[in-house]
């Protein structure tokens, strides 16, 4: 149990540090701009969902391999506004996977989902859904 707690703590600290780093810049656009950016991101990559599928199946080694070959797939958003980073945080991904997803698409750290108007960021998902 303590190893799992340590892993989740490390993942949340990694996400938190990225959020802190991006908060200093101009990472928040207006909601109108965010909506159009989000739809463009998901729409332009609608055929490139292999990374997303690998995250859903928790195939972490292949997620890393896929990110190396197709980093742009980290920008995919599903119909609920969830990125591969969101889904990885929901699924207790190892810290190195979360870091690789953040490196490929740092903007995902501040994106809020559209599920039932909950507005969860990946950090919220990691805090709320981790199995500690």
């Amino acid at each position: 149990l303590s190893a799992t707690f340590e892993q989740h703590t490390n993942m949340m600290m990694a996400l938190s540090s990225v959020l802190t780093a991006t908060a200093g810049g101009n990472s928040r656009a207006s909601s109108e701009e965010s909506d159009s950016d989000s739809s463009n991101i998901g729409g332009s990559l609608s055929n490139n969902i292999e990374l997303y599928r690998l995250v859903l199946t928790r195939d972490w080694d292949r997620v890393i391999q896929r990110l190396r070959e197709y980093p742009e797939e980290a920008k995919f958003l599903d119909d609920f506004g969830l990125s591969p980073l969101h889904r990885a945080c929901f699924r207790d991904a190892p810290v190195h996977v979360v870091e690789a997803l953040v490196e490929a698409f740092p903007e995902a750290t501040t994106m809020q989902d559209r599920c039932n108007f909950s507005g969860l960021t990946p950090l919220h998902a990691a805090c709320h859904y981790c199995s500690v």
Side-chain angles (χ1 to χ4, degrees):
L1 182 64
S2 64
T4 303
F5 178 76
E6 185 176 328
Q7 179 185 11
H8 291 296
T9 301
N10 290 340
M11 178 174 54
M12 287 187 267
M13 287 173 52
L15 277 170
S16 179
S17 66
V18 170
L19 286 172
T20 302
T22 57
N26 188 10
S27 63
R28 268 187 94 81
S30 72
S31 61
E32 189 174 301
E33 288 174 322
S34 296
D35 289 344
S36 66
D37 290 347
S38 297
S39 63
N40 289 338
I41 290 168
S44 65
L45 298 171
S46 60
N47 295 324
N48 297 325
I49 62 168
E50 181 63 14
L51 174 68
Y52 187 83
R53 187 190 68 75
L54 292 170
V55 169
L56 291 177
T57 61
R58 294 185 170 117
D59 193 343
W60 306 128
D61 291 336
R62 290 188 58 208
V63 165
I64 295 296
Q65 180 181 1
R66 186 74 183 183
L67 272 171
R68 287 184 187 130
E69 295 174 23
Y70 303 97
E72 69 278 1
E73 287 187 20
K75 296 179 181 180
F76 175 80
L77 298 178
D78 68 12
D79 293 338
F80 300 105
L82 296 169
S83 67
L85 178 61
H86 280 91
R87 291 296 188 179
C89 291
F90 283 127
R91 286 173 166 66
D92 296 328
V95 174
H96 72 281
V97 172
V98 172
E99 290 174 337
L101 286 163
V102 168
E103 184 177 320
F105 187 46
E107 293 85 352
T109 62
T110 58
M111 290 183 154
Q112 297 179 336
D113 72 20
R114 296 186 296 264
C115 298
N116 300 321
F117 305 104
S118 61
L120 294 178
T121 66
L123 180 60
H124 292 129
C127 292
H128 186 61
Y129 291 98
C130 66
S131 58
V132 176

